Amino acid sequence: MKNNSTRRSEASFLKWTVADALHVATHHWMPCLFALGLLFFMGVEYTLHMVPPSSPPFDLGFLATRPLHALLQSSPHLNTLCAALNTVFVGMQTSYILWTWLIEGRPRATISTLFMFTCRGILGYSTQLPLPQGFLGSGADFPVGNVSFFLFFSGHVAGSVIASLDMRRMQRWELAWTFDVLNVLQAVRLLASRGHYTIDLAVGVGAGILFDSLAGKYEDSKRNPPFTTKHTFTL
């Protein structure tokens, strides 16, 4: 009984003071903001009217890009041009990631991309979301030729994040910011063309960060003991 009483008296929250609360509020305002966000979205979640099975998914990004969607729908040539430019950007991502491995001998970005696309394939096949209403396809879009694709999650966005994170590690700041701006424009275009849901793009950002981190941990695990292979693939 004494041990249990001692443990209760040593509980961390029993030692909190008003000064501690003020310190948390002033020095750790971001977790406090997230705590308010938790309470707010609990209220939203438990009171909203759920989308019925017969209706299309509600997507805030689609509402925000209605004017752009109408513009692309009314101008097929502009839609094709945007798709072609987006495909060029995908080629830039791919070229940079392969360059870091084949030319610079740094495989982390390539490893993270392989991790990411494998996971994307598993998740995309496991839950196959319906094609958004009003989807504006183009033969110039990647993958070229109006072929089928997984909606969840966006490999376009995730690949750009992986490339941008590598650029930051190498202090290629201007190139990284350029990729970030192009990634934002890419996301807006994908929403406007109804090529992805908002959740696909948001998770794409998180996936890029996650798999870049996992690739770094993989490299660290192979350095102890040292792991090397011939030619340009070295860790």
Side-chain angles (χ1 to χ4, degrees), residues 59-122:
D59 194 290
L60 195 59
F62 289 178
L63 294 179
T65 56
R66 273 180 177 173
L68 287 175
H69 178 260
L71 176 62
L72 294 178
Q73 194 172 35
S74 64
S75 179
H77 292 298
L78 178 60
N79 182 50
T80 299
L81 174 62
C82 292
L85 292 174
N86 205 155
T87 297
V88 171
F89 181 47
V90 173
M92 291 166 59
Q93 301 171 27
T94 305
S95 299
Y96 177 83
I97 290 170
L98 290 176
W99 176 277
T100 62
W101 171 37
L102 298 175
I103 306 302
E104 298 179 348
R106 300 183 298 104
R108 176 168 173 171
T110 302
I111 294 171
S112 59
T113 303
L114 294 175
F115 284 179
M116 181 271 290
F117 274 109
T118 300
C119 181
R120 177 178 179 270
I122 295 171

Side-chain angles (χ1 to χ4, degrees), residues 10-92:
E10 291 177 352
S12 177
F13 75 94
L14 294 176
K15 302 175 184 178
W16 294 353
T17 64
V18 174
D20 293 330
L22 292 175
H23 176 80
V24 169
T26 55
H27 291 80
H28 302 284
W29 57 269
M30 187 171 291
C32 293
L33 188 62
F34 287 153
L36 293 175
L38 167 65
L39 297 176
F40 173 77
F41 283 109
M42 283 177 65
V44 172
E45 180 179 3
Y46 300 152
T47 57
L48 61 76
H49 297 287
M50 298 190 71
V51 178
S54 58
S55 300
F58 171 80
D59 194 290
L60 195 59
F62 289 178
L63 294 179
T65 56
R66 273 180 177 173
L68 287 175
H69 178 260
L71 176 62
L72 294 178
Q73 194 172 35
S74 64
S75 179
H77 292 298
L78 178 60
N79 182 50
T80 299
L81 174 62
C82 292
L85 292 174
N86 205 155
T87 297
V88 171
F89 181 47
V90 173
M92 291 166 59

Side-chain angles (χ1 to χ4, degrees), residues 130-148:
L131 193 66
Q133 291 185 358
F135 169 65
L136 302 175
S138 172
D141 208 348
F142 182 87
V144 177
N146 279 323
V147 299
S148 59

